[in-house]
Amino acid sequence: MKLLCPICNEKLVKVDRQARCANNHSFDYAKQGYLNLLIKQSVDHGDNKEMVQARTQFLNSGGYAFLKQELVNLTKKYDSHVLCDLGCGEGYYTSGFQAEEKYGFDMSKEALKHASKNDPSTQYAVASIFRLPLEDASCDTAVTCFAPFAKDEIERVLTQGGRFFFVSPGPKHLFELKQLIYDTPYENEMKDLETTLVKEEEYFISNTFHCEKENLISLFKMTPYYHRTRNEDIDKINHQDGMDITAEFLIRVYQKR
Ligand SMILES: [Zn+2]
């Protein structure tokens, strides 16, 4: 196990239903299997139950299955021994990756309950991706899908030669949905990552799929726009029948050299 104690940074070892460090700090495995390695829990920053349900409903409809397939194939090209997924959510992508050891981190306990129930192949842990409870140079593969780029931590936990896969929405991602809601929809900006990692490859993938009426609102809730959109604009989705939606993604592959 590559996990570290969030209190003293010593290695964690699994003892019965607990993960313990040499200084006797202990963390219980939840009944679903995930660990809570977040020390300060006064505020829950992670996605709530409603959000997790919306995302699960949409992802189960298969709208993003092409991205999952692409990512799984891409990571398979390189031999993954230890993989970490930063901002893994419900583990939709994490569950598909092949590696001897897999770790998924997210701030949302609700998301990880779901993830660990459905994917025993990954050790999920509640933690900030900006303070990963992982050993230095412990992973040869790191993935971030639609979560912020945790530069320092990714550079730290990757092995020499290890690879980082970063997925972000393309310029016209969900543009039909934006057109429905906004008078002047904007395209997403594509910014280069500032990092010491070296960019090796870049893939641009796109797919248009039919989104049923009941999945449209779930899809919209998954976007960062949801929380800054007026109710009357959100209501336009409720009056919309199913429609064709284009999903566009940029997958960037970096290597630590
Ligand atoms: Zn400790």
Side-chain angles (χ1 to χ4, degrees), residues 110-134:
E110 285 301 330
L112 294 194
K113 268 184 202 170
H114 184 94
S116 40
K117 204 163 38 176
N118 292 291
D119 173 25
S121 73
T122 305
Q123 178 60 60
Y124 291 96
V126 185
S128 164
I129 61 170
F130 298 102
R131 198 181 181 284
L132 284 178
L134 268 180

Side-chain angles (χ1 to χ4, degrees), residues 150-163:
K151 175 188 182 296
D152 294 344
E153 286 298 72
I154 288 164
E155 291 173 0
R156 179 181 70 80
V157 302
L158 272 184
T159 54
Q160 270 318 315
R163 285 187 174 82

Side-chain angles (χ1 to χ4, degrees), residues 5 7-8 21 23 25:
C5 171
I7 301 168
C8 68
C21 74
N23 294 320
H25 300 124

Side-chain angles (χ1 to χ4, degrees), residues 151 154 161 210 223 227:
K151 175 188 182 296
I154 288 164
H210 186 76
T223 70
H227 292 289

Side-chain angles (χ1 to χ4, degrees), residues 160-178:
Q160 270 318 315
R163 285 187 174 82
F164 171 54
F165 299 80
F166 186 65
V167 182
S168 54
K172 290 221 156 189
H173 181 56
L174 310 183
F175 206 71
E176 298 93 337
L177 196 56
K178 283 180 170 176

Side-chain angles (χ1 to χ4, degrees), residues 182-195:
Y182 307 114
D183 295 331
T184 46
Y186 290 103
E187 294 190 6
N188 295 319
E189 276 182 67
M190 301 285 93
K191 280 192 201 136
D192 268 337
L193 298 184
E194 280 178 32
T195 173

